[in-house]
Amino acid sequence: MPSLPQILIFDFGSQYTQLIARRVRELNVYCEIYPYTHFEKIITEISQKNGVKGIILSGSPCSVTQTDAPTLPKTIFELDIPILGVCYGAQLLTHLAGGKVQSSNTREYGRSNLQYFSNENPLFKDISQNTQMWMSHGDTIVHLPNNFEKIASTESVENASFQIKNKNIFGVQFHPEVTHSTEGKILLKNFILNIAQVNPNWTANQFIETSITQIQKQVKDDKVILGLSGGVDSSVLALLLHKAIGTQLHCIFVDNGLLRKNEFENVLHTYKNLGLNIIGVKAQTEFYTALEGLSDPELKRKAIGKTFIDVFEQEAKKIIGAKWLAQGTIYPDVIESVAINGHSVTIKSHHNVGGLPEKMNLKILEPLRMLFKDEVRNVGKSLSLPTEILQRHPFPGPGLAIRILGDITPKKVQILQDADEIFIQKLYEKNLYTSIWQAGAILLNAQSVGVMGDERTYENVLALRAVHSVDGMTADWVHIPYDILAEISNEIINKVRGINRVVYDISSKPPATIEWE
């Protein structure tokens, strides 16, 4: 629940738009992303309130030469606000002003070095000559308009960056937001802090203080219901709401029988120690019954979602006078639910609550909806959320049901829980857990022949999965040392009856997803 954004980012469909926003937020500057189709509306509603200090135009998979290319009104040049066009954004500014953009003979993709620029230009202050930047475009700017000035080039890109004369309007044909642009953060800092002169006051403590005031004003004396999952988002939300409204918050933590081994008891104990007003509900039987005979992943998800709603509603009805349902929606959920064409602004359902708010006539409360995952963790740290929850890996809403390929039985869940616990504990033991984004074991719907002692076995195959990621949108598999993988495999096979073979998943996302189902 922040104040007005100081930087507006207009999205033309780039895969890197969220990354631009993350880089801006890392400078302690609050920004928001909007579809390019909202440009005139947003400029009218927000910039007139004197909160906006700068505008960034994102990249795009499109070409400005297309007849239906995403575009903006030429009135953008009349705004008295600093503007930075990134890749497509730079080409669009050029195109709108009468310059020439055309398809390049070869697609310019990958690392490139800036070989000409002046540090006297404020955009390139403190940036090294020959610094590496990341190119990713099929078009290139061939001729700049008369009032545009070239301020940087590379060996293959003549107009790698420009500035409109006597205006704080800039364009770059590379992506300063990606890590491959080694000094890209400096360039963004130059634009935001020096050229746009933004006050970097966006901090976790400032967010907490503002949110508490707004939550109290919004909720007043009403009761709020929150479904806790044991994950970072819902836990941070619980602490924030508890700090704002105390015992008016009623938390419900459902054991669906698909959590990790002993997780329900451990997490419930932690929540109670935090002083939360919480109810623990053991509902394994209901979920196992709903899942009986189901193998299709989508059917399993729907069965779990429906059962969760039924169980949650039954418990929530016991809380007399509740008016609000709090949800741990975060900014990527919001962004992904808004179509680039601007027609859809519906937030996707979150945490399996489905149509529960309408069914129970509850209003939605989403205090974290403008935060990225790392910002949620920063808020949790400021709220003194225990480390074991703060550093917890993301865990799928349907739980182990989508890590058991095929049908679900209590026996399969027990096998996977035992194997998964060995895997996760070994990562802790080897000081690997906190450097990994997400890890878990998957019980395959395949069996293999093995020999244990003098006996032939025909038992289950277990896959291990561990990935590095920033926000789960892309991921690379973790290079766990072979000797550690060997220890994990030996311990699982020796201690978990029902598994006689362990494999390690070395697929990246894309094309593979992080979860198998």
Side-chain angles (χ1 to χ4, degrees), residues 2-6 8 32 34 40-54 79-81:
S3 55
L4 289 172
Q6 297 189 76
L8 299 179
E32 289 183 5
Y34 294 94
E40 291 181 278
K41 177 177 181 288
I42 296 301
I43 289 298
T44 301
E45 290 182 357
I46 298 182
S47 64
Q48 290 182 350
K49 297 177 181 178
N50 299 319
V52 176
K53 301 294 185 182
L79 298 175
D80 188 24
I81 302 173

Side-chain angles (χ1 to χ4, degrees), residues 215 218-227 237 241 245-252 277 312 319-327 362-367:
I215 290 167
Q218 191 173 6
V219 172
K220 298 178 182 175
D221 295 327
D222 296 339
K223 293 179 183 178
V224 178
I225 301 173
L226 169 62
L237 177 57
L241 290 170
I245 59 175
T247 56
Q248 290 171 243
L249 174 65
H250 294 258
C251 300
I252 299 172
N277 184 11
F312 192 87
I319 304 169
I320 307 301
K323 300 289 181 64
W324 298 84
L325 178 68
Q327 293 187 172
L362 297 172
K363 293 177 282 187
I364 295 294
L365 187 63
E366 298 175 314

Side-chain angles (χ1 to χ4, degrees), residues 153-187:
S153 299
T154 71
E155 184 176 355
S156 59
V157 181
E158 173 77 12
N159 300 301
S161 182
F162 63 76
Q163 178 180 2
I164 298 182
K165 295 176 183 177
N166 302 316
K167 284 181 176 286
N168 282 326
I169 300 179
F170 300 82
V172 294
Q173 285 204 89
F174 48 84
H175 288 271
E177 69 274 19
V178 303
T179 55
H180 300 304
S181 294
T182 52
E183 294 182 306
K185 288 183 181 180
I186 299 176
L187 186 145

Side-chain angles (χ1 to χ4, degrees), residues 419 422 462 464 488-496 499 502:
I422 291 171
L462 184 83
L464 305 179
I488 295 168
S489 175
N490 290 339
E491 191 165 338
I492 289 173
I493 291 172
N494 287 331
K495 292 185 177 180
V496 182
I499 294 173
V502 175

Side-chain angles (χ1 to χ4, degrees), residues 108-285:
E108 292 158 339
Y109 182 84
R111 296 169 176 82
S112 188
N113 298 96
L114 293 185
Q115 296 183 330
Y116 163 77
F117 64 87
S118 171
N119 289 114
E120 293 180 2
N121 188 286
L123 192 65
F124 292 98
K125 182 177 182 293
D126 297 327
I127 289 181
S128 309
Q129 291 293 330
N130 292 311
T131 188
Q132 176 181 289
M133 292 294 176
W134 183 260
M135 296 284 184
S136 179
H137 56 92
D139 290 351
T140 193
I141 298 171
V142 179
H143 296 299
L144 290 169
N146 291 333
N147 60 331
F148 282 43
E149 179 182 10
K150 176 182 69 178
I151 58 175
S153 299
T154 71
E155 184 176 355
S156 59
V157 181
E158 173 77 12
N159 300 301
S161 182
F162 63 76
Q163 178 180 2
I164 298 182
K165 295 176 183 177
N166 302 316
K167 284 181 176 286
N168 282 326
I169 300 179
F170 300 82
V172 294
Q173 285 204 89
F174 48 84
H175 288 271
E177 69 274 19
V178 303
T179 55
H180 300 304
S181 294
T182 52
E183 294 182 306
K185 288 183 181 180
I186 299 176
L187 186 145
L188 291 172
K189 179 180 178 182
N190 287 338
F191 175 74
I192 293 165
L193 301 187
N194 299 333
I195 296 171
Q197 297 184 346
V198 174
N199 178 22
N201 60 0
W202 172 246
T203 64
N205 287 335
Q206 185 265 348
F207 171 82
I208 292 169
E209 183 179 334
T210 302
S211 295
I212 287 174
T213 300
Q214 293 189 13
I215 290 167
Q216 291 171 340
K217 182 178 179 181
Q218 191 173 6
V219 172
K220 298 178 182 175
D221 295 327
D222 296 339
K223 293 179 183 178
V224 178
I225 301 173
L226 169 62
L228 284 171
S229 68
V232 175
D233 299 340
S234 67
S235 299
V236 171
L237 177 57
L239 278 188
L240 180 64
L241 290 170
H242 180 70
K243 194 173 181 67
I245 59 175
T247 56
Q248 290 171 243
L249 174 65
H250 294 258
C251 300
I252 299 172
F253 184 30
V254 176
D255 183 2
N256 58 11
L258 302 164
L259 302 173
R260 283 178 155 145
K261 188 173 182 178
N262 300 323
E263 184 172 21
F264 179 73
E265 292 76 14
N266 293 339
V267 172
L268 190 62
H269 178 72
T270 300
Y271 282 149
K272 288 181 177 178
N273 283 346
L274 291 172
L276 295 180
N277 184 11
I278 184 169
I279 300 169
V281 183
K282 298 187 79 66
Q284 301 99 316
T285 302

Side-chain angles (χ1 to χ4, degrees), residues 354-362:
L356 191 62
E358 296 83 3
K359 195 173 182 181
M360 295 187 61
N361 196 29
L362 297 172

Side-chain angles (χ1 to χ4, degrees), residues 294-439:
L294 298 181
S295 295
D296 181 87
E298 188 60 24
L299 293 179
K300 289 194 286 186
R301 288 177 183 272
K302 287 181 177 178
I304 292 168
K306 181 182 183 304
T307 306
F308 179 85
I309 290 174
D310 292 342
V311 173
F312 192 87
E313 180 186 14
Q314 184 177 343
E315 292 299 324
K317 282 182 176 178
K318 299 175 184 177
I319 304 169
I320 307 301
K323 300 289 181 64
W324 298 84
L325 178 68
Q327 293 187 172
T329 306
I330 61 175
Y331 202 32
D333 300 322
V334 176
I335 297 168
E336 290 164 12
S337 68
V338 180
I340 286 302
N341 63 19
H343 297 315
S344 173
V345 293
T346 302
I347 306 304
K348 68 182 182 182
S349 60
H350 197 260
H351 290 328
N352 296 320
V353 296
L356 191 62
E358 296 83 3
K359 195 173 182 181
M360 295 187 61
N361 196 29
L362 297 172
K363 293 177 282 187
I364 295 294
L365 187 63
E366 298 175 314
L368 307 181
R369 70 190 307 271
M370 302 310 289
L371 298 186
F372 285 106
K373 191 77 170 186
D374 53 342
E375 293 175 314
V376 174
R377 282 197 167 95
N378 289 338
V379 170
K381 187 176 181 180
S382 294
L383 290 170
S384 300
L385 183 68
T387 303
E388 62 266 25
I389 293 182
L390 192 62
Q391 295 180 344
R392 177 166 293 163
H393 290 173
F395 189 68
L400 298 180
I402 60 169
R403 291 183 180 176
I404 297 174
L405 306 194
D407 67 322
I408 308 299
T409 66
K411 180 62 177 176
K412 288 182 180 180
V413 172
Q414 181 186 345
I415 290 173
L416 183 56
Q417 285 179 332
D418 291 343
D420 182 78
E421 183 186 42
I422 291 171
F423 181 33
I424 298 301
Q425 290 306 314
K426 189 65 69 173
L427 293 179
Y428 273 115
E429 180 185 318
K430 301 297 182 180
N431 295 318
L432 292 173
Y433 184 86
T434 56
S435 64
I436 293 172
W437 163 264
Q438 185 170 334

